[in-house]
Structures are given as C-alpha cells and as structure tokens.
C-alpha cells in the first residue's frame, strides 16, 4: 500500500454538506484514536450490491456495477486519501457459483489479501430476500475457515435494497429485525460462534440503499424509509467496529497457507495416518499373510488334481 499511489478522496465533496460534516467528524474521531488507515473488505454473494456499496461509500463510480453476474474474477482495491487519512476498500467477486461456494475465487481473494490487514469486514446481502438457506451458512463458513472466527468481531452485516415496502403488511422495523435476526443466526452457526460469546449477538446490521431513486431528506441526504441518513450511519458503524477493542485481522502466509485456523485437529493428521498404519493396515496385512500360509498347501494339492504334469 504505497501511500504515494493513493488518490485524493474527491468523492467526499459529492456528498451533501450535512453528510460531509458527519463523515469528516468520524474521520477525526478515528485519527484521535490513532487510526489513520482503514482497510475494509467487502464480501458476499454475486449481485447483492457489493460494488454499488463501495461506490456509495467513496462517492464516485470507482468499481464496475453490473445487473448481471459478470463481475471480474479478481478483487479490486479502491484507495483514497483525505487529510492524512487513508481509506482502502477491497471489492471482491461473488463467492457463489452454480449454487456452491467457489473456493477458487476465495483462494484468489486470500492471495490478494496477503500482507494486508483487514480492519473491517462488510458482509453484504439484500434486505429484500425473505429466506436464508444452507448456502448462506456455507459462505459464512468459508469466510470463517479462511480468516478465522475472530473476523466476525470486525464484521458488520450490510443489507442493500433497503428502500422497500415489507410484505404481509409487516412494519418496516419489524421486517428489518426479522431479516437481521435470521441472517445473524446463520452467521453465528456458520462461524461456530458459541452462545456464551456475547459479541456474536452484537454484530451490527446496517441498511443501505444504493439506488439513485433513494429518498432524500431536507438536507439532500439519502435516507432509509425510517428516516436515517444511511451513508453517515454506515460510516459511523464502521468506525464503531474499528474502535470496539478487537484485533484487526492480519493476513499473513501462516493464515493463508497454514492449517485452517478453526480446525485444530488438522495437526493430528500424520498421527491418524500412523495409527491407521500400525493398528489397521499392519494387522490386516498380517492376517492376509497368515491366511495365505495356511491355505498354500491344500489349495496347491486340490488345484493340481487332473493335471498332466502330475508326478504321482
Ligand atoms: P455485486 O455483484 O454484489 O457487486 O452487485 P452490484 O453492485 O454490481 O449490483 C448488482 C445490481 O443491483 C446492479 O444492477 C445494481 O444497480 C443493483 N443494486 C445494488 N445495490 C442496490 C440497492 O441498494 N438498491 C437497488 N434498488 N439496486 C441495487
Ligand atoms: Mg461486484
């Protein structure tokens, strides 16, 4: 991350004055806590609005957005600097292909992240999806297996398409609460977060509406149906997660190539092989040898009856 290559964060000036003021306040708060660089990793399925959310945060069209799932196969890092503060947002390709987690894509993402530190994970999905399924759990599991369970202490769930009228006459807040709880349940089980790990219940869920048709308040700020100006709210939650006292995730060779951080049993694999060899394979070999030795004579004698070469 050579700082001389970072572009000035001009997109911030595109925001209405009220949003700019709040964002600069939050950057000031981070700098006060000695945080002058923030690296945000954005992950999720394809087409959920990851790239659009990246663009919304930086305030410019930094990465390509597509209605059809033809994202590039590689992650893209958008870096911007503003008053001594460096923001890096890593947009990634969708993790699902043909109904399965694409582990090749995950591998590419991991290599891209080598030697970087993830300060915050944005796990993106849509608000207007009414069910969670096993696939959601598989993605969470894949992320956890790659970066360790601790990454969820640095995570926030982002729900796009937040400007909606809930089905079945549900109130907006009730619908949001239900969708959040369903997703968080999947996150907790996919990441194997234990019940006693209270932080698992406190992973924040934030609403986002990337559409140009998003409603605005009197200050021209984009707002959610509940009136919240969502860009400052998202950046505030990112700031809170950054300062929540948990450790950022350093992606080093050990994390990428070493044993799965969540599967401690992996170290025992050679031992299991040795056990199998001495207690299963060896006894079987011995038993076979014994059988052969025992059967050798009678089999020979029986098979040879009638042979023209018989000598007796
Ligand atoms: P990605 O594959 O996760 O990066 O998703 P994209 O950002 O490329 O978005 C996929 C499609 O959904 C595009 O057509 C976007 O315009 C649209 N989209 C993304 N976020 C929102 C949102 O919050 N609201 C609405 N209405 N459309 C969105
Ligand atoms: Mg994308």
């Amino acid at each position: 991350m050579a700082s001389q290559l970072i572009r000035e964060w001009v997109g911030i000036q595109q925001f209405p004055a009220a949003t700019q003021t709040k964002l600069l306040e939050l950057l000031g708060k981070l700098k006060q806590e000695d945080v002058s660089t923030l690296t945000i990793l954005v992950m999720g399925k394809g087409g959920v609005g990851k790239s659009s959310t990246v663009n919304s945060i930086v305030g410019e069209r930094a990465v390509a957005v597509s209605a059809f799932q033809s994202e590039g196969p590689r992650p893209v890092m958008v870096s911007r600097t503003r008053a001594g503060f460096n923001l890096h947002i890593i947009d990634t390709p969708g993790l699902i292909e043909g109904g399965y987690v694409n582990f090749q894509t995950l591998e590419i993402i991991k290599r891209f992240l080598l030697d970087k530190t993830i300060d915050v994970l944005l796990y993106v999905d849509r608000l207007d999806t009414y069910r969670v399924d096993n696939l959601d759990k598989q993605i969470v599991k894949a992320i956890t297996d790659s970066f360790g369970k601790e990454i969820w202490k640095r995570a926030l769930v982002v729900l796009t398409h937040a400007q909606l009228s809930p089905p079945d006459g549900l109130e907006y807040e009730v619908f949001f609460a239900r969708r959040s709880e369903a997703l968080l349940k999947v996150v907790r089980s996919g990441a194997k977060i234990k019940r006693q790990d209270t932080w698992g219940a406190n992973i924040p869920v934030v609403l986002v509406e990337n559409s140009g048709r998003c409603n605005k308040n009197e200050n021209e700020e984009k707002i959610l149906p509940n009136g919240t100006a969502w860009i400052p709210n998202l950046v505030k939650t990112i700031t809170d997660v950054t300062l929540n006292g948990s450790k950022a995730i350093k992606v080093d060779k050990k994390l990428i190539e070493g044993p799965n951080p969540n599967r401690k049993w992996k170290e025992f694999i050679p031992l299991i092989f040795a056990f199998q060899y001495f207690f299963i394979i060896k006894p079987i070999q011995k038993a076979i040898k014994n059988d052969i030795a025992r059967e050798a004579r009678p089999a020979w004698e029986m098979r040879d009856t009638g042979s023209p070469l018989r000598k007796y």
Side-chain angles (χ1 to χ4, degrees), residues 18-312:
T19 297
Q20 280 189 50
T21 309
K22 289 179 211 163
L23 294 188
L24 292 174
E25 232 177 74
L26 290 165
L27 297 192
K29 192 173 161 192
L30 284 169
K31 283 192 80 179
Q32 226 174 40
E33 300 289 332
D34 272 340
V35 180
S36 59
T37 296
L38 204 58
T39 304
I40 303 170
L41 174 65
V42 184
M43 286 184 122
K45 293 182 226 174
V48 292
K50 298 183 297 299
S51 304
S52 306
T53 304
V54 170
N55 290 342
S56 292
I57 296 172
V58 290
E60 55 181 288
R61 251 183 173 275
V63 286
V65 164
S66 159
F68 308 98
Q69 288 195 13
S70 56
E71 306 175 286
R74 322 208 138 265
V76 176
M77 184 157 84
V78 178
S79 298
R80 296 290 182 268
T81 184
R82 169 91 195 191
F85 182 86
N86 302 324
L87 177 69
H88 306 283
I89 309 186
I90 301 165
D91 188 21
T92 64
L95 282 176
I96 297 294
E97 205 170 291
Y100 295 96
V101 173
N102 186 341
F103 286 95
Q104 207 177 345
T105 302
L106 191 62
E107 215 45 49
I108 293 170
I109 297 172
K110 279 159 75 175
R111 306 255 150 224
F112 183 89
L113 292 170
L114 183 62
D115 294 331
K116 293 184 175 68
T117 298
I118 307 165
D119 292 299
V120 176
L121 167 71
L122 300 191
Y123 180 72
V124 184
D125 206 332
R126 294 172 62 143
L127 175 66
D128 61 344
T129 306
Y130 307 127
R131 287 177 202 285
V132 289
D133 57 29
N134 191 43
L135 206 50
D136 297 297
K137 190 169 160 181
Q138 292 308 315
I139 306 177
V140 171
K141 190 172 176 307
I143 295 174
T144 312
D145 286 347
S146 303
F147 306 108
K149 188 169 146 179
E150 301 291 300
I151 196 161
W152 297 102
K153 287 188 182 168
R154 287 269 169 172
L156 46 124
V157 174
V158 171
L159 298 178
T160 62
H161 294 72
Q163 189 161 282
L164 61 74
S165 303
D168 309 328
L170 284 175
E171 280 198 28
Y172 189 80
E173 293 300 334
V174 173
F175 178 76
F176 171 42
R178 285 199 191 163
R179 173 84 178 115
S180 304
E181 201 32 61
L183 247 181
L184 284 181
K185 214 169 141 192
V186 157
V187 168
R188 286 194 294 266
S189 85
K192 294 213 168 68
I193 298 169
K194 296 190 192 81
R195 207 173 279 269
Q196 61 263 37
D197 292 333
T198 44
W199 58 267
N202 298 323
I203 298 172
V205 183
V206 183
L207 293 168
V208 159
E209 177 50 73
N210 292 308
S211 164
R213 287 191 296 261
C214 184
N215 287 333
K216 292 176 177 166
N217 63 14
E218 67 283 3
N219 295 324
E220 281 302 296
E221 295 178 289
K222 288 181 169 181
I223 52 165
L224 302 170
N226 62 11
T228 308
W230 70 262
I231 291 176
N233 184 54
L234 171 63
V235 178
K236 182 182 182 306
T237 314
I238 290 172
T239 307
D240 291 345
V241 169
T242 307
L243 302 177
N244 74 6
S246 63
K247 266 213 226 115
I249 309 297
K250 199 166 171 3
V251 184
D252 52 19
K253 260 200 146 69
K254 209 174 103 219
L255 187 72
I256 287 186
E257 284 167 5
N260 175 331
N262 307 293
R263 269 168 47 201
K264 299 187 197 91
W265 290 104
K266 214 170 173 178
E267 297 150 27
F268 292 105
I269 287 176
L271 243 151
I272 292 166
F273 273 124
F275 176 85
Q276 284 183 337
Y277 181 71
F278 287 111
F279 294 95
I280 299 171
I281 298 175
K282 271 242 159 175
I284 289 174
Q285 279 177 340
K286 210 173 150 198
I288 292 171
K289 258 192 202 153
N290 283 345
D291 272 3
I292 292 170
R294 221 181 301 134
E295 280 204 11
R297 263 185 70 108
W300 165 263
E301 283 168 7
M302 268 155 37
R303 231 180 279 129
D304 253 11
T305 48
S307 155
L309 291 171
R310 219 173 129 211
K311 297 236 169 73
Y312 51 92

